[in-house]
Amino acid sequence: METQYFNAVKQPEAGTKLGGGVIRSGGLVAFPTETVYGLGANGLDGEAVNKIFEAKGRPNDNPLILHIAKKSDLKDLWKSVPERARLLMDEFWPGPLTMVYLKSSRVPEEVTGGLDTVAVRMPDNRTALALIRAAGVPIAAPSANLSGKPSPTTAEHVKADMNGKIDVIIDGGPCNIGVESTVVSLMGGTVTILRPGGITREMLEAVIGPVNLSPAVLAPLKQGEAAASPGMKYKHYAPDAQVIVGTGSLPDMAAKLIAEYDRREAEGLTCIIFATEETRCFYRGKRYVIIGERKNPLTLCESLFAQFRAQEGKADVILCEALPETDMGLAYMNRLLRSAGFKTI
Ligand code: TXA
Ligand code: MG
């Protein structure tokens, strides 16, 4: 298959118009969102949705998010819309918040992996919204990477994984959040964070009071434990390089990372430190790259996946800094710990 490319800046209408038609007729279109690039198919067409799993090499029981362009489209996809969903979508949609609740009969089981709930979000990206409108159907979309690779935050990343496997790629430039949306479950009369993201726990609590945090956000599932979100049971991004997370006060953490660096380099391995503006002074004489600012964890989220991809085939060991697990630090630590297989020092 030949993949067609469109630039959302230079050809703002061409890609979404053609892409909308491709989605409607059962094809696959990769598109930018504010979080990461999505790989979209007609969310009401089970056969089209199956092509997503095939292109990504994703297990069929890991359910997808339906993307909509109008808040009022939610009621067709859910059995009913609970009051707390209304409060949250009024505050945070369009934006990086995905809500899980009981699905309506319109939603095919291919989307939900057989679950009786479905995840829905309204992305905050002009191209994504135009594509959904042009398609005229909700778009089912996971991140547009091969299963097991970091989520793509540029069209080049999508091309590297999906060229020749999908119909269209729309290039909307780099994503500005860089980690996937916050996923909350509204089941059981409460709000539970299944995956932290751009809408933080603190932001949610300011609107609806206390929310629960699924234990799987910061710790591995125990053997035999059921996953609240099927995505949790898969090792998300398993880089070729070993990722190790340094914890503790800044000087302690840096000292631990440097000791590990020296030990591994002495074994003949190539190491790199993912440093920050605030900590670069500790790593003089070592190989390091500045990936953002600790005081603004969003900058670290924005570049983490791209920096992992940039190290493919280069580093054997990637040494990273832990952040406090508050605000955007929670989303950062969730992705980092999973990439590290929860290995901390
Ligand atoms: O930012 C995002 O959310 C991106 C962009 C493209 O919108 N999409 C994305 O999709 O990250 P994906 O498929 O990579 O992640 C969806 C997550 C998975 O962890 C999945 O298990 C969970 O949401 N999920 C989907 N439906 C669910 C459901 N019914 N119940 C529990 N978890 C669900
Ligand atoms: Mg993904």
Side-chain angles (χ1 to χ4, degrees):
M1 171 188 308
E2 194 170 333
T3 302
Q4 275 187 277
Y5 287 84
F6 291 92
N7 184 301
V9 181
K10 293 189 200 127
Q11 315 153 273
E13 310 238 305
T16 50
K17 217 168 149 201
L18 182 126
V22 167
I23 297 258
R24 240 193 341 272
S25 55
L28 299 184
V29 178
F31 60 98
T33 81
E34 78 279 37
T35 57
V36 301
Y37 275 74
L39 177 58
N42 181 345
L44 301 179
D45 175 352
E47 244 174 79
V49 166
N50 276 334
K51 293 184 193 165
I52 294 179
F53 292 98
E54 222 170 279
K56 281 182 61 95
R58 173 173 169 126
N60 279 67
D61 67 343
N62 194 2
L64 305 178
I65 298 171
L66 289 180
H67 295 69
I68 58 176
K70 276 202 321 283
K71 291 177 190 172
S72 57
D73 286 346
L74 179 62
K75 63 179 184 315
D76 301 329
L77 304 175
W78 280 0
K79 229 174 194 167
S80 62
V81 179
E83 183 55 24
R84 54 197 183 290
R86 285 183 204 286
L87 289 170
L88 291 174
M89 76 178 160
D90 281 347
E91 190 69 27
F92 299 118
W93 279 5
L97 178 69
T98 297
M99 298 192 290
V100 173
Y101 196 62
L102 291 170
K103 81 177 196 75
S104 75
S105 57
R106 283 186 82 198
V107 178
E109 61 176 22
E110 286 84 353
V111 170
T112 65
L115 296 176
D116 59 356
T117 56
V118 67
V120 184
R121 92 171 182 105
M122 179 175 170
D124 186 15
N125 176 286
R126 214 187 312 161
T127 303
L129 293 171
L131 180 71
I132 301 164
R133 271 187 229 110
V137 290
I139 296 185
S143 47
N145 51 292
L146 287 174
S147 205
K149 290 267 205 158
S151 291
T153 56
T154 67
E156 286 70 42
H157 299 159
V158 179
K159 185 176 179 187
D161 286 8
M162 293 296 164
N163 190 36
K165 296 188 171 178
I166 63 177
D167 299 283
V168 177
I169 297 178
I170 305 178
D171 183 349
C175 301
N176 48 20
I177 296 180
V179 294
E180 308 85 345
S181 63
T182 303
V183 179
V184 296
S185 168
L186 303 185
M187 298 295 286
T190 58
V191 178
T192 303
I193 297 176
L194 303 181
R195 177 178 77 183
I199 302 300
T200 64
R201 180 182 200 169
E202 292 80 355
M203 291 161 79
L204 293 167
E205 290 190 332
V207 176
I208 42 157
V211 306
N212 307 312
L213 188 63
S214 166
V217 166
L218 290 171
L221 278 178
K222 295 191 190 78
Q223 213 169 8
E225 192 178 347
S229 178
M232 289 172 178
K233 71 179 182 226
Y234 299 108
K235 184 166 175 190
H236 243 213
Y237 163 51
D240 299 333
Q242 188 183 8
V243 178
I244 298 172
V245 183
T247 61
S249 69
L250 287 193
D252 271 7
M253 176 197 69
K256 282 191 265 184
L257 290 180
I258 289 167
E260 189 72 16
Y261 181 108
D262 289 341
R263 197 165 70 75
R264 298 303 185 98
E265 288 262 323
E267 291 169 1
L269 298 174
T270 303
C271 300
I272 185 146
I273 299 168
F274 280 8
T276 57
E277 288 297 348
E278 293 91 335
T279 54
R280 64 196 307 163
C281 53
F282 292 117
Y283 307 123
R284 237 170 258 140
K286 309 291 173 197
R287 208 173 294 109
Y288 67 83
V289 52
I290 307 282
I291 69 162
E293 297 175 356
R294 293 180 64 86
K295 70 166 190 287
N296 184 1
L298 183 58
T299 60
L300 297 169
C301 289
E302 210 180 319
S303 64
L304 183 68
F305 290 145
Q307 293 288 355
F308 276 144
R309 280 187 184 254
Q311 292 304 324
E312 273 172 18
K314 293 188 186 159
D316 302 306
V317 182
I318 302 176
L319 298 154
C320 300
E321 300 181 354
L323 281 187
E325 287 146 4
T326 53
D327 296 302
M328 280 305 284
L330 183 64
Y332 184 73
M333 288 305 290
N334 169 267
R335 304 313 188 279
L336 191 58
L337 287 169
R338 282 164 177 268
S339 305
F342 298 93
K343 171 138 181 79
T344 58
I345 55 174

